[in-house]
């Protein structure tokens, strides 16, 4: 029974972590779906979101929900700005050029942030630490409940936007075939910009939640989760929103199990091993369709 | 015997003269020990940049796993010299072979992937290599490997760098190298011209990994201690910056890129944030205004006045 | 006439959609045959199956007495089938000469170490390749452009370079995918003469996809007509011109 209890506990930890990955992965997958770019800077956007939330709480004295909203809006705008300045001029450039630019943008955000907020990690104020539910020895703490609750709300909201609104329909059309979408009168620049905005906003929320969960943030905190969220997106099938969520959750659970039962040092290796396995065995991901290159 | 053609001979004479000058500057202690170390680092970085360029620039396979292969060469090298007393050159070669072999094993499955997928998969492979090393207690785990003999001299670095450049230049200017260029230009056309694309991608990847391994050995034997933290993918990005700055597909570019980046790093050693911000801005501006890098597909020996000195040989080279 | 190529019930299905079905053709050695059909009829898909780019879902392809289904494109090239592409696929950043030299790939014998240390067969083979490549360029009036970057060539010269490059692989069968696309009538006329001439000069069998009816009717001895992935007619240009099925499907549509 002891073992089963441990497994369930790790599952809960994994789903909490996985929700964070899912939130970041959604942005990755939306952006990749529409402009076929691995936005290396996406993890850094998440870091900026965490810092904005941190300052809103500690300096601005806001409580969690307003802080989340402030971070969500500001970071969303930052994402749109990044797209406007760095990626839009390269719309017709080879994909590798854009990828290299994204690496440059990533460095830029990391190290300008480091300059302004110093490289030392900041301690997030303790929140919801004393709230916890215990069922048969399995503990779900307040932070985990917060993560799961907010993630669920955002998923519902995103589904509504993408499925029901005009903008959402345009986004889906553009990610299916940008050129045809343009012929149909969709302003693809605007849609891409909105996609970056929404993706970045989701990442910002993930950043603040991670700050609350782990209590510590630093300017390079986005690198690994960024890469892992990409793994999650690929695992679920890149460009597919439910895929990103499922991919994120699977990844979180696998990582929690690996750190709980093998060794925490292999946690990162597990994520990359999954990536390579998926790319080799089923490159289209769990939910994707295989396509052939046209000759 | 056509072993050394005229151009190679001129290059060799020039290089030996350069070596003599630098060696005198070092032994007469005209260069401070800081810049001596930097000369060694520049040489090692040239090997890494040129070998990465063979994969990313000439063959067009965007790899981000170079630091992992460097780590393999470094660790195999130091274990052999420190624990088994193997002579330094043998350890270097062994490190290169080990890294090359691993490159072959990794390349075979992953090189089926294209563009950004390959980039992220090789990045993951490099990290897996590093994490595995971190978990091997025999080589010190995360704390690192201590007590490495200081074998790396400027002479070793210089001549191995020269050999690397010679190897890659001649490879690129052969039918094998042309096959790699064809893959970069258009994989489907290359295949239909009779190029076994898998074979040549793996070949370029293996050669690149092997030289990264040798460079790793040289790097490790310049220090008393190496840790897995020296071989993260951030390190790969460093070499990528050199290659992209200098020009994908130009050996001259890799040399120039290694110079510039190493100098900037050394000069801004006390302001690491600025260093990275400069790289970041440089990368973005390059992609905007000169995506082919400083030298594009050109070689120095191909330009203007130098063309007269290095007259065009019988092949498409130089 | 010796049979060079034979396809038997070759089909290609993409995710449930039949792009080509029951594709049966025969080419005798030395023939010049056309493959025509409306857009999307599956002509290029057929070429891709013949050259190993796609593996047919079912069926057999026999080339020169050998089954080539399952072979990779480079192996098919080595076996003796060369092709050009509808949307020109040159090695655009390389020189014209290098473009042709790459086509000698499957006949290079010197190894990696011979290449790096410039010993053994390296110089002998490289000199032979260089001479042969330049000879091909001169046949296609490209010798003056040998050191030019391929992407800087005018359109017509790019098409010629693609053919020169295909011939450098020493094929028995040459597949031309819309060689006259984008050419003016004058250029098309020259192209027709050139195709006839290279067939004779290189002893080739040629299968070509073309939209330009004047060209197809002018030089092909036999024509296959493809519609919705199926061959609906086969015959001499005269027979095809009079075939009611073809007129309905194809010629009628274009007026």
């Amino acid at each position: 029974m002891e073992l089963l209890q441990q497994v369930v506990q790790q599952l809960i930890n994994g789903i909490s972590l996985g929700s964070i990955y899912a939130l970041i992965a959604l942005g990755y997958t939306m952006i990749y779906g529409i402009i076929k770019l691995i936005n290396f800077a996406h993890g850094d956007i998440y870091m900026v979101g965490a810092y904005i939330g941190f300052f809103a709480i500690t300096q601005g004295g806001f409580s969690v929900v307003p802080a989340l909203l402030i971070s969500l809006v500001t970071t969303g705008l930052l994402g749109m700005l990044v797209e406007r300045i760095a990626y839009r001029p390269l719309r017709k450039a080879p994909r590798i050029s854009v990828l290299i630019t994204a690496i440059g943008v990533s460095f830029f955000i990391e190290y300008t942030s480091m300059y302004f907020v110093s490289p030392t990690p900041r301690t997030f104020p303790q929140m919801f630490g004393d709230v916890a539910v215990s069922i048969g020895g399995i503990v779900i703490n307040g932070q985990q409940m917060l993560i799961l609750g907010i993630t669920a709300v955002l998923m519902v909201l995103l589904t509504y936007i993408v499925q029901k609104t005009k903008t959402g329909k345009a986004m889906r059309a553009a990610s299916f075939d940008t050129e045809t979408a343009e012929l149909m009168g969709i302003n693809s620049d605007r849609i891409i910009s909105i996609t970056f905005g929404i993706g970045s906003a989701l990442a910002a929320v993930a950043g603040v939640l991670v700050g609350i969960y782990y209590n510590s943030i630093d300017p390079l905190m986005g690198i690994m989760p960024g890469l892992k969220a990409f793994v999650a997106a690929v695992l679920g099938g890149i460009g597919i929103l439910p895929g990103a969520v499922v991919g994120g959750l699977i990844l979180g659970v696998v990582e929690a199990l690996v750190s709980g039962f093998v060794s925490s040092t292999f946690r990162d290796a597990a994520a990359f091993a999954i990536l390579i396995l998926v790319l080799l065995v089923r490159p289209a991901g769990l939910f994707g369709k295989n396509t052939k290159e046209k000759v | 015997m056509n072993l050394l053609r005229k151009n190679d001979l001129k290059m060799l004479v020039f290089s030996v003269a350069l070596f003599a000058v630098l060696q005198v500057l070092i032994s007469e202690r005209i260069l401070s020990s800081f810049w001596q170390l930097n000369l060694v680092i520049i040489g090692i970085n040239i090997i890494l940049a040129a070998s990465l360029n063979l994969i990313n620039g000439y063959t067009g396979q965007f790899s981000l796993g170079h630091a992992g292969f460097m780590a393999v060469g470094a660790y195999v090298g130091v274990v052999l010299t420190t624990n088994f007393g193997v002579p330094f050159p043998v350890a270097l070669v062994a490190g290169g072979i080990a890294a090359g072999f691993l490159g072959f094993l990794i390349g075979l499955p992953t090189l089926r992937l294209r563009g950004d997928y390959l980039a992220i998969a090789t990045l993951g492979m490099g990290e897996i290599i590093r994490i595995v090393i971190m978990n091997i207690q025999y080589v010190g785990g995360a704390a690192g490997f201590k007590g490495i003999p200081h074998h790396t001299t400027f002479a070793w670095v210089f001549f191995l760098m020269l050999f690397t450049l010679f190897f890659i230049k001649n490879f690129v200017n052969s039918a094998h190298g042309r096959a790699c260029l064809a893959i970069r230009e258009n994989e489907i056309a290359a295949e239909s011209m009779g190029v076994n694309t898998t074979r040549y991608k793996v070949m370029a990847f293996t050669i690149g990994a092997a030289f990264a391994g040798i460079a790793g050995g040289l790097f490790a034997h310049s220090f008393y201690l190496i840790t897995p933290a020296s071989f993260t993918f951030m390190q790969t990005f460093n070499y990528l910056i050199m290659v992209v700055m200098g020009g994908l597909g130009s050996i001259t570019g890799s040399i120039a890129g290694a110079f510039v980046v190493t100098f900037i790093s050394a000069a801004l050693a006390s302001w690491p944030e600025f260093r990275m911000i400069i790289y970041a801005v440089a990368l973005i501006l390059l992609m905007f205004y000169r995506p082919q890098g400083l030298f594009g597909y050109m070689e120095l020996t191909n330009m203007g006045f130098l063309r007269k000195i290095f007259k065009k040989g019988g092949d498409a080279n130089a | 006439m010796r049979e060079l190529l034979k396809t038997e019930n070759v089909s290609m299905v993409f995710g449930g959609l039949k792009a080509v079905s029951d594709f049966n053709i025969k080419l005798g050695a030395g023939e010049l045959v056309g493959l025509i059909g409306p857009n999307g009829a599956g002509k290029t898909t057929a070429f891709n199956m013949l050259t190993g780019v796609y593996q047919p879902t079912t069926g057999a392809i026999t080339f020169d007495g050998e089954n080539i289904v399952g072979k990779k494109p480079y192996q098919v090239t080595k076996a003796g089938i060369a092709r050009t592409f509808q949307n020109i696929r040159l090695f655009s950043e390389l020189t014209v000469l290098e473009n042709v030299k790459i086509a000698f790939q499957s006949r290079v014998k010197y190894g990696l170490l011979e290449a790096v240390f410039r010993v053994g067969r390296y110089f002998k083979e490289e000199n032979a390749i260089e001479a042969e490549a330049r000879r091909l360029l001169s046949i296609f009036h490209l010798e003056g452009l040998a050191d030019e970057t391929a992407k800087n060539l005018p359109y017509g010269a790019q098409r010629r370079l693609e053919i020169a490059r295909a011939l450098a692989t020493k094929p028995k069968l040459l597949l031309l995918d819309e060689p006259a696309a984008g050419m003016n009538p004058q250029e098309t006329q020259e192209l027709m003469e050139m195709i006839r001439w290279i067939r004779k000069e290189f002893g080739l069998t040629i299968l070509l996809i073309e939209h330009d009816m004047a060209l197809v009717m002018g030089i092909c001895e036999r024509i296959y007509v493809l519609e919705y992935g199926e061959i609906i007619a086969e015959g001499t240009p005269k027979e095809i011109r009079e075939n009611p099925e073809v007129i309905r499907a194809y010629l009628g549509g274009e007026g």
Side-chain angles (χ1 to χ4, degrees), chain C:
Chain C
M1 193 164 25
R2 188 172 64 91
E3 190 178 270
L4 187 66
L5 178 84
K6 184 172 147 197
T7 67
E8 288 161 286
N9 304 324
V10 171
S11 302
M12 182 80 215
V13 182
F14 290 117
L17 198 82
K18 274 203 164 178
V20 171
S21 53
D22 295 328
F23 183 72
N24 290 300
I25 63 168
K26 275 182 197 170
L27 296 183
E31 267 195 304
L32 206 170
V33 178
L35 178 62
I36 64 172
N39 275 329
K43 304 182 297 286
T44 298
T45 304
F47 265 28
N48 284 336
M49 289 190 292
L50 292 177
T51 52
V53 176
Y54 295 160
Q55 292 304 329
T57 318
T58 56
I61 304 173
T62 316
F63 175 72
D64 213 6
E66 190 187 0
N67 180 19
I68 57 166
V69 172
K71 285 197 176 198
K72 294 223 166 95
Y74 76 91
Q75 292 166 323
V76 174
T77 305
K78 198 169 183 181
I81 302 180
R83 75 178 288 185
T84 65
F85 295 89
Q86 189 178 350
N87 45 344
I88 306 178
R89 283 178 181 264
L90 291 172
F91 307 120
S92 47
E93 293 287 346
L94 305 184
T95 67
V96 169
L97 183 65
E98 283 169 319
N99 263 273
V100 179
K101 278 182 169 183
I102 285 161
F104 289 84
Q105 199 57 40
S106 36
R107 277 170 286 145
V108 168
K109 294 210 176 52
Y110 66 80
L112 177 62
L113 291 179
E114 284 172 292
V116 169
F117 296 102
R118 303 267 159 106
V119 292
R121 295 165 283 191
Y122 174 81
F123 282 103
K124 191 167 164 263
E125 284 190 31
E126 278 295 301
N127 290 338
I129 290 172
E130 168 106 11
E132 177 67 16
R134 283 191 186 275
R135 195 181 71 84
L136 274 167
L137 286 181
S138 70
I139 289 175
F140 290 89
H141 310 297
L142 292 166
E143 68 273 39
L145 298 167
D147 294 321
E148 189 60 62
T149 308
K151 67 172 179 194
N152 295 336
L153 254 49
Y155 185 79
Q158 293 198 7
R159 284 257 173 235
R160 293 206 304 277
L161 175 56
E162 245 205 341
I163 298 177
R165 195 179 63 170
L167 289 179
T169 66
K170 283 224 161 116
K172 296 172 193 141
L173 171 64
L174 179 62
L175 308 178
L176 300 173
D177 197 345
E178 295 198 30
M183 286 189 173
N184 62 35
Q186 162 77 26
E187 286 171 323
T188 307
Q189 192 59 38
E190 285 169 17
L191 180 76
M192 275 169 71
E193 275 154 35
M194 192 177 81
I195 292 174
R196 276 202 200 101
W197 184 83
I198 56 173
R199 168 171 69 151
K200 211 170 104 219
E201 185 68 17
F202 292 86
L204 287 173
T205 307
I206 297 178
L207 177 64
L208 66 89
I209 294 176
E210 192 44 73
H211 273 300
D212 189 316
M213 278 304 130
L215 184 140
V216 178
M217 297 293 173
I219 62 173
C220 293
E221 288 138 9
R222 214 149 51 78
I223 295 173
Y224 287 99
V225 185
L226 206 59
E227 193 199 14
Y228 296 121
E230 284 179 52
I231 290 176
I232 56 165
E234 186 241 316
T236 63
K238 189 168 175 298
E239 287 162 4
I240 292 297
R241 215 178 282 133
E242 288 159 2
N243 185 317
E245 185 84 339
V246 178
I247 294 168
R248 178 196 55 76
Y250 189 77
L251 298 174
E254 295 213 339

Side-chain angles (χ1 to χ4, degrees), chain B residues 146-165:
Chain B
K146 285 188 210 62
I148 304 163
H150 191 289
H151 283 313
T152 302
T153 61
F154 178 65
W156 273 116
V157 171
F158 188 88
F159 286 103
L160 279 173
M161 172 199 83
L162 215 57
F163 175 73
T164 309
L165 297 179

Side-chain angles (χ1 to χ4, degrees), chain B residues 163-208:
Chain B
F163 175 73
T164 309
L165 297 179
F166 170 84
F167 190 109
I168 292 177
K169 175 181 93 61
N170 281 359
F171 175 78
V172 170
N173 288 302
S174 72
H176 306 293
R178 277 200 300 271
C180 294
L181 294 173
I183 293 169
R184 173 190 77 196
E185 291 298 315
N186 194 320
E187 203 171 327
I188 288 167
E191 185 109 359
S192 83
M193 287 300 115
V195 174
N196 181 348
T197 50
T198 312
R199 174 166 180 244
Y200 282 104
K201 281 193 224 172
V202 173
M203 188 188 277
F205 198 72
T206 306
I207 295 172

